[in-house]
Amino acid sequence: MYMRGVFFVVFAILLSCAASAQAVQVGGELETTLSSTEAGVSLSIDIESQLSRCLIRGGLQAEAKMVPAWQGRVEPWWELSLPVSEHVLVIAGQNREHFTSSDVFRLINKNNYTAETTAALLYTEQVKAGLLRNVPLRGRDLVDAVFVESVLDIGKVSLSSLQMRYAGSAEGGTAQLVQAQAELGFAELTAAHGWQSDARGAESQGTVLELKSSSPRFSGSLALQSIDSGFQSLLAKANRYTPNRKGWQLELAKQIGQVELGLNLRRHRSIDGSREYNQLTWKVKSRDRGTGLEWRLQPTPAFVMRVELDDRLFQFDPLNGTLRADFQLGKSMWSVRFDAVRLIGRLEYRLNGAFEWRLIAKQDFLHHRFHYSFLVRQSGERSRLQLEIGEYDRGNLGSGFNNPPSFCISWGWKF
């Protein structure tokens, strides 16, 4: 009931804005799709109105599928931005990106929302607070959350903290963290520590210490972390730091003349020490000649030799038996890839012009399998037409061979 009351107040603020609109803009897109598995129509409408005191945006996203079964949905969205004063801003919305916390763990991320997600946010120079409703919690529940983030800048030192409580039908808990950032000449130091507890009373902690340095000739970073198995980026789609990990990672890059040297060294293991997640990679690159070498020792050995000039790329890894060559012939782009261990070859052709063409043919010589994909697309300022036969493999040599035959034709119009 309290949450409903808060959002009623937000709507009251919306209605209290000045009555006359300064400008109204309307736009949208109509799209139709017909494929081997489905047929449907989607419509999006966007409306923006600048009132004397606030900016209001809204619209809807509607979709109707006729094949394989009738399905329909209409998802409205709205967003209000109201400057209360020079240093105070109120933002509210539904089914829109909301708030991203400034901590290194990204406990809250603005892109984690559904059509039912509603947000009411208050921004000042030192404090950001908000109420979030129906936010996905790691795919297990939809929760309501209240948070307060404070920031205090003292010279080149920034101190921040975040307090959050969340509750849903099955999950609930709290999260707190403190963070300090400082600029030390060419280096930047960040230290953060967080605590979390769930509805069952289980507690977990996460600690991160990062040191970064950057200059025209040198860049480097050192990160130390200890993340309990239960510590997560709660209101985000993915964890910023993998749970159940502790250790350190060092990344260095040094430029000597036209030669750039790089090192990536990671020593991570599980909290109980039973598993290791180590990395070790050396890199050498000649900037004027376009040549490079990457020698990876962990986790899987690789020795990648690369030549890259303009639109041409040649890459060879003798340890894994892989070869790649990208080059341009006239206005068309070609890409050839081959895996000698799995005996898979892939050819890709692209042509950009009034029509965009993409053709992929791939052969698995060991298992006698073939895969192809064809796409042609025409895009204008307000219209789009696309035909695709076969599924795109996204450059993965081993994927697509077992996919059934497919096609998809779609067209869209913006207004």
Side-chain angles (χ1 to χ4, degrees):
M1 293 296 295
Y2 175 75
M3 296 290 290
R4 293 180 181 177
V6 169
F7 288 105
F8 176 79
V9 172
V10 172
F11 278 110
I13 294 176
L14 174 62
L15 295 176
S16 68
C17 294
S20 59
Q22 301 296 323
V24 177
Q25 296 180 353
V26 180
E29 183 175 4
L30 177 66
E31 183 175 353
T32 302
T33 302
L34 175 63
S35 71
S36 53
T37 57
E38 66 178 21
V41 179
S42 64
L43 171 67
S44 65
I45 298 177
D46 301 337
I47 302 174
E48 181 176 308
S49 177
Q50 179 66 61
L51 303 181
S52 60
R53 290 187 56 197
C54 59
L55 175 65
I56 301 176
R57 301 177 62 237
L60 61 84
Q61 297 172 335
E63 183 179 30
K65 292 184 179 180
M66 285 73 77
V67 178
W70 169 262
Q71 291 181 341
R73 66 177 179 89
V74 177
E75 298 179 350
W77 66 269
W78 60 270
E79 186 176 69
L80 160 72
S81 178
L82 173 62
V84 179
S85 66
E86 183 179 356
H87 304 293
V88 179
L89 175 66
V90 172
I91 297 177
Q94 179 179 349
N95 192 18
R96 301 296 291 172
E97 293 185 343
H98 42 80
F99 173 77
T100 298
S101 56
S102 60
D103 60 279
V104 295
F105 302 111
R106 288 292 189 270
L107 294 186
I108 307 173
N109 201 319
K110 64 182 180 180
N111 63 6
N112 184 39
Y113 66 93
T114 68
E116 293 78 27
T117 301
T118 314
L121 309 172
L122 174 66
Y123 290 172
T124 69
E125 289 185 340
Q126 295 184 337
V127 176
K128 296 180 180 178
L131 297 171
L132 304 175
R133 191 179 183 195
N134 293 324
V135 183
L137 177 69
R138 315 300 299 159
R140 302 192 305 264
D141 198 1
L142 291 177
V143 301
D144 298 341
V146 55
F147 70 88
V148 177
E149 181 183 79
S150 60
V151 178
L152 176 62
D153 295 325
I154 306 175
K156 295 185 177 181
V157 178
S158 177
L159 305 176
S160 61
S161 67
L162 176 68
Q163 306 284 329
M164 181 175 69
R165 292 182 177 272
Y166 62 94
S169 59
E171 300 283 346
T174 62
Q176 306 88 30
L177 67 86
V178 291
Q179 178 172 295
Q181 290 181 292
E183 294 184 11
L184 308 171
F186 289 103
E188 180 179 324
L189 176 66
T190 302
H193 183 73
W195 305 264
Q196 295 178 4
S197 61
D198 59 21
R200 295 175 294 276
E203 297 184 356
S204 56
Q205 300 185 30
T207 303
V208 170
L209 178 65
E210 294 182 345
L211 179 63
K212 297 181 179 180
S213 178
S214 179
S215 67
R217 293 288 181 175
F218 172 81
S219 64
S221 65
L222 173 63
L224 294 83
Q225 69 175 66
S226 177
I227 311 295
D228 290 345
S229 57
F231 191 90
Q232 299 182 352
S233 300
L234 293 168
L235 301 188
K237 293 183 178 180
N239 292 313
R240 184 74 180 272
Y241 289 89
T242 304
N244 194 25
R245 293 279 186 93
K246 63 179 178 180
W248 55 274
Q249 184 170 6
L250 176 67
E251 295 184 62
L252 300 174
K254 172 65 175 178
Q255 184 175 337
I256 304 175
Q258 293 297 321
V259 178
E260 185 175 302
L261 305 176
L263 168 66
N264 174 39
L265 176 60
R266 189 178 77 180
R267 290 295 177 261
H268 281 184
R269 63 182 184 276
S270 58
I271 295 297
D272 60 8
S274 60
R275 298 190 63 180
E276 293 185 345
Y277 308 91
N278 297 330
Q279 293 181 355
L280 177 57
T281 303
W282 294 91
K283 294 182 180 180
V284 181
K285 181 179 180 181
S286 175
R287 305 182 66 173
D288 57 341
R289 298 179 181 270
T291 59
L293 174 64
E294 179 178 329
W295 183 18
R296 187 174 68 235
L297 300 175
Q298 293 175 317
T300 56
F303 193 80
V304 182
M305 295 177 286
R306 183 182 295 107
V307 179
E308 187 172 6
L309 294 172
D310 298 327
D311 296 323
R312 293 168 291 172
L313 170 67
F314 178 81
Q315 184 174 295
F316 178 51
D317 180 1
L319 290 183
N320 295 293
T322 59
L323 174 68
R324 175 177 178 176
D326 298 346
F327 52 93
Q328 181 173 352
L329 292 177
K331 296 183 179 180
S332 61
M333 291 294 301
W334 295 81
S335 177
V336 180
R337 299 177 61 183
F338 185 72
D339 189 325
V341 177
R342 294 184 293 174
L343 290 181
I344 299 177
R346 181 181 185 273
L347 176 64
E348 178 175 348
Y349 165 80
R350 289 177 180 265
L351 177 63
N352 294 327
F355 286 84
E356 177 185 346
W357 302 82
R358 186 189 70 207
L359 175 63
I360 297 172
K362 186 164 57 177
Q363 178 71 42
D364 184 343
F365 297 95
L366 190 62
H367 298 93
H368 308 288
R369 301 180 298 175
F370 178 74
H371 174 71
Y372 68 92
S373 173
F374 169 78
L375 178 141
V376 57
R377 176 165 50 206
Q378 190 277 332
S379 299
E381 291 185 2
R382 294 188 174 273
S383 62
R384 178 181 62 84
L385 174 64
Q386 176 175 305
L387 170 65
E388 185 172 9
I389 302 175
E391 294 186 19
Y392 181 43
D393 64 353
R394 300 185 182 278
N396 190 335
L397 281 178
S399 68
F401 289 106
N402 297 322
N403 294 337
S406 65
F407 77 91
C408 179
I409 181 171
S410 63
W411 56 95
W413 173 63
K414 294 182 179 180
F415 56 89

